[in-house]
């Protein structure tokens, strides 16, 4: 059995830096692998995707991710698991999109309390029977943390089932159904995938997403593979199942570089979707005199000049005492070189349609918010704060909730007063308590969260 795996795809166009990625080059790599494997083994490989495709991207501002239906279908995806960003435009929208795709979508451990069904209409399990008699069982699992990131769903409307418990149940069901091999498609962070591998011996392979860096680990004889992001990487997992039941595995990593030719069919799709948009996006909206750092591993673990730039603009527009935004706001995962700054750069950095709001916080709430922001370091979580008007240091080795080094915490150059009220500019997403910022969800809102300016618009106007 051969499996082709990828995850977390946002931009369908390629970037400048190698590996350039892009759906067109990725498609030819995929098609060549499908062709070669089918020729060699007499059976088509299984194509699986581990979530996040409908948003955020430059194009999805216009299409709400609908363009990915055609893209994933062209890539012949068989089975997929929901990513958190599938729900950025609402549960119903996600359900409609995946219904229109030819692939089977899994999500087995989050129940929509209103319908008592799996969120977004995901399947709990799926069995594929191969021509050679092999039965492959698949299940889809996610972590609890990402429920806090869902912008359009109330946490209270969801019932989360622990992925280990649920994984154990469903894997056992799949075995009872005769599965020779059990594969979990997951959309969660590394430590959770490792926990799943340790605790559920019935799962043979975990094909994961959510983390954007390529990685392979073997934990207690369970293989975990994450295949990068953004059509830049593809994994081919070749399994040789011996008569004694033992499995030999060969993993091949493919990077989508300029060497990989573009698939003409996919290229047409990409060009069709981007041509209209591109004309407006090429417009230069300013000049930057230094390169701006938006790399995930930087912006999600420390202060960066891109984070400061955007937070400072928010401060000047709102005149708030402090600005705090979650670094998940910054989507470009790259360094933007100095020179002309085009609308395209802005839309790559800030593709999520979210409003700027001003709220009133006490010093105590501000401290709580910052503690939440640094609570998951060293995981590259989107909740990590980028700020303006406030300075602080933190100790990542201290227990979550007491990591901020108190005497370093200054607001406008003065020590934080826990009882004082401060005005804080943030995004509606954070003010709603998302990304774990629940301490802010009850704060008084000074501006209308539904009609406030879009963050990207605020930056563009600046
Ligand atoms: Zn994700």
């Amino acid at each position: 059995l051969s499996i082709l795996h990828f995850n977390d795809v946002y931009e369908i166009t390629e970037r400048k830096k190698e590996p350039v990625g892009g759906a067109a080059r990725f498609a030819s790599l995929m098609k060549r692998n499908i062709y070669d494997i089918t020729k060699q083994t007499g059976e088509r490989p299984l194509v699986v995707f581990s979530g996040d495709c409908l948003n955020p991207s430059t194009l999805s501002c216009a299409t709400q991710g609908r363009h990915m239906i055609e893209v994933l279908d062209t890539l012949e995806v068989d089975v997929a698991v929901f990513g958190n960003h599938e729900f950025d435009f609402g549960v119903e929208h996600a359900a409609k999109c995946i219904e229109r795709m030819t692939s089977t979508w899994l999500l087995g451990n989050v129940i929509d309390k209103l319908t008592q069904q799996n969120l977004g209409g995901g399947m709990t399990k799926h069995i594929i029977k191969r021509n050679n008699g092999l039965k492959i069982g698949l299940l889809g699992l996610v972590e609890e943390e990402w429920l806090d990131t869902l912008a359009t769903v109330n946490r209270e409307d969801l019932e989360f089932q622990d992925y280990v418990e649920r994984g154990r149940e469903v894997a056992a069901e799949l075995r009872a159904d005769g599965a020779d091999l059990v594969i979990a498609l997951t959309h969660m962070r590394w430590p959770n995938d490792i926990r799943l591998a340790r605790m559920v011996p019935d799962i043979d392979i975990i094909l994961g997403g959510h983390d954007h860096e390529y990685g392979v680990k073997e934990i207690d004889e369970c293989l975990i593979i994450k295949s990068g992001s953004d059509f830049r990487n593809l994994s081919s997992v070749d399994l040789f199942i011996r008569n004694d039941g033992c499995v030999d595995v060969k993993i091949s990593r493919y990077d989508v570089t300029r060497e990989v030719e573009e698939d003409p069919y996919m290229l047409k799709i990409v060009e069709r979707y981007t041509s209209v948009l591109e004309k407006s996006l090429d417009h230069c909206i300013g000049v930057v005199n230094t390169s701006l750092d938006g790399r995930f591993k930087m912006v999600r673990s420390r202060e960066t000049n891109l984070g400061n730039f955007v937070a400072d603009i928010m401060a000047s527009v709102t005149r708030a005492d402090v600005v705090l935004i979650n670094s998940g706001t910054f989507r470009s995962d790259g360094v933007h070189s100095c020179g002309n700054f085009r609308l395209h750069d802005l839309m790559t950095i800030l593709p999520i349609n979210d409003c700027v709001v001003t709220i009133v916080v006490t010093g105590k709430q501000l401290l709580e918010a910052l503690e939440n922001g640094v609570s998951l370091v060293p995981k590259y979580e989107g909740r990590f704060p980028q700020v303006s008007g406030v300075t602080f240091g933190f100790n990542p080795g201290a227990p979550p909730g007491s990591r901020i080094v108190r005497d370093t915490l200054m607001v406008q150059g003065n020590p934080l007063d826990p009882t004082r009220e401060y005005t804080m500019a943030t995004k509606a997403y954070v003010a709603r308590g998302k990304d774990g910022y629940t301490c802010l969800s009850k704060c008084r809102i000074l501006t209308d969260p539904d009609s406030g300016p879009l963050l990207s618009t605020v930056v563009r106007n600046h």
Side-chain angles (χ1 to χ4, degrees):
L1 167 72
S2 290
I3 305 165
L4 296 169
H5 173 251
F6 67 113
N7 54 275
D8 295 76
V9 292
Y10 306 101
E11 297 296 339
I12 59 172
T13 50
E14 62 184 43
R15 63 172 181 181
K16 288 193 192 96
K17 209 182 102 192
E18 291 283 17
V20 291
R25 292 186 204 280
F26 186 83
S28 78
L29 187 64
M30 182 69 96
K31 284 181 183 177
R32 191 173 41 187
N33 269 283
I34 293 174
Y35 178 84
D36 287 349
I37 292 166
T38 310
K39 205 173 153 200
Q40 276 165 24
T41 66
E43 282 211 79
R44 200 184 150 274
L46 194 64
V47 179
V48 296
F49 172 70
S50 290
D52 272 6
C53 65
L54 298 183
N55 199 47
S57 69
T58 319
L59 252 182
S60 54
C61 299
T63 67
Q64 297 191 305
R66 287 188 191 89
H67 62 284
M68 282 295 184
I69 298 169
E70 214 174 333
V71 171
L72 290 205
D73 277 356
T74 303
L75 295 171
E76 300 180 39
V77 174
D78 295 299
V79 192
V81 64
F82 280 85
N84 48 315
H85 285 300
E86 261 64 86
F87 298 104
D88 283 0
F89 302 107
V91 176
E92 227 170 282
H93 176 81
K96 270 189 199 145
C97 285
I98 65 124
E99 210 181 276
R100 286 175 54 196
M101 295 190 203
T102 54
S103 38
T104 301
W105 284 71
L106 301 167
L107 183 53
N109 66 325
V110 184
I111 307 283
D112 187 335
K113 281 188 195 163
L114 302 172
T115 60
Q116 284 299 311
Q117 305 279 320
N118 291 339
L119 186 66
M123 308 271 289
T124 302
K125 56 180 177 172
H126 185 58
I127 285 203
I128 292 177
K129 206 166 172 234
R130 311 280 293 173
N131 293 334
N132 59 13
L134 195 68
K135 271 179 149 181
I136 305 147
L138 295 121
L139 65 158
L141 298 168
V142 301
E143 64 186 4
E144 189 163 17
E145 287 86 336
W146 75 241
L147 300 190
D148 295 330
T149 71
L150 299 181
T152 57
V153 195
N154 274 331
R155 178 66 182 85
E156 302 81 60
D157 295 338
L158 303 176
E159 183 193 332
F160 176 81
Q161 299 167 311
D162 179 51
Y163 54 86
V164 165
E165 268 169 48
R166 194 71 184 124
R168 230 178 242 145
E169 278 168 26
V170 181
E173 284 173 27
L174 286 166
R175 292 284 179 204
D177 293 342
D180 301 293
L181 195 77
V182 172
I183 302 173
L185 302 188
T186 64
H187 195 83
M188 51 173 96
R189 298 284 175 217
W190 268 111
N192 294 329
D193 276 318
I194 291 169
R195 177 170 169 252
L196 181 66
R198 284 227 164 91
M199 310 281 283
V200 188
D202 250 343
I203 294 174
D204 299 298
I205 304 174
I206 297 173
L207 298 172
H210 205 36
D211 284 301
H212 293 174
E213 269 171 74
Y214 193 96
V216 177
K217 273 195 177 81
E218 198 185 328
I219 306 285
D220 297 345
E221 291 177 18
C222 174
L223 205 57
I224 311 174
I225 302 164
K226 302 210 188 209
S227 305
S229 69
D230 251 334
F231 299 117
R232 287 171 205 152
N233 320 92
L234 174 71
S235 296
S236 173
V237 188
D238 304 310
L239 303 157
F240 309 91
I241 301 167
R242 297 196 305 233
N243 288 338
D244 59 1
C246 286
V247 183
D248 291 325
V249 187
K250 190 182 133 227
I251 302 164
S252 316
R253 169 186 172 163
Y254 296 94
D255 289 344
V256 182
T257 63
R258 272 192 200 90
E259 309 272 282
V260 180
E261 72 278 23
E262 290 174 310
D263 173 62
Y265 184 84
M266 183 68 94
L267 191 61
K268 279 218 176 73
I269 296 174
V270 172
E271 283 171 350
R272 177 154 43 83
Y273 280 114
T274 49
S275 64
V276 184
L277 205 67
E278 217 151 65
K279 284 187 192 92
S280 61
L281 290 177
D282 207 32
H283 184 62
C284 176
I285 54 172
V287 177
V288 288
N289 292 325
T290 181
S291 55
L292 297 171
D293 196 346
R295 288 173 293 171
F296 275 177
K297 63 179 175 196
M298 301 302 279
V299 89
R300 291 175 174 222
S301 65
R302 69 195 68 183
E303 175 183 26
T304 83
N305 61 357
L306 179 64
N308 285 336
F309 176 54
V310 172
D312 287 351
I313 291 172
M314 289 171 72
S316 77
V317 167
T318 60
R319 297 169 198 270
D321 299 322
V322 293
V323 175
L324 184 158
I325 45 173
N326 59 322
S327 59
T329 301
F330 303 94
R331 306 306 309 182
S332 63
D333 193 14
V335 176
H336 303 267
S337 48
C338 55
N340 283 348
F341 191 81
R342 296 179 192 285
L343 187 55
H344 178 262
D345 295 309
L346 179 63
M347 297 317 290
T348 315
I349 296 169
L350 301 173
I352 302 175
N353 293 321
D354 209 350
C355 297
V356 176
V357 296
T358 308
I359 59 176
V360 180
V361 297
T362 62
K364 186 169 165 281
Q365 284 169 323
L366 174 56
L367 174 62
E368 260 179 77
L370 291 171
E371 286 286 7
N372 172 63
V374 300
S375 62
L376 296 179
V377 175
K379 286 192 218 166
Y380 298 137
E381 282 294 338
R383 67 178 57 185
F384 188 85
Q386 293 293 330
V387 299
S388 179
V390 56
T391 54
F392 66 94
F394 71 99
N395 174 6
S402 51
R403 290 183 166 184
I404 304 289
V405 182
R406 300 298 150 93
D407 55 5
T408 63
L409 180 50
M410 300 288 207
V411 180
Q412 305 278 2
N414 301 308
L416 176 106
D417 178 351
T419 58
R420 216 203 103 170
E421 285 192 330
Y422 299 94
T423 54
M424 177 199 274
T426 183
K427 300 195 316 173
Y429 176 84
V430 174
R432 279 200 306 273
K434 298 292 176 177
D435 256 356
Y437 286 98
T438 41
C439 59
L440 300 179
S441 64
K442 298 261 152 39
C443 291
R444 189 151 50 94
I445 300 179
L446 298 177
T447 55
D448 182 357
D450 297 320
S451 64
L454 282 183
L455 179 55
S456 53
T457 312
V458 168
V459 176
R460 187 180 178 176
N461 291 345
H462 172 86

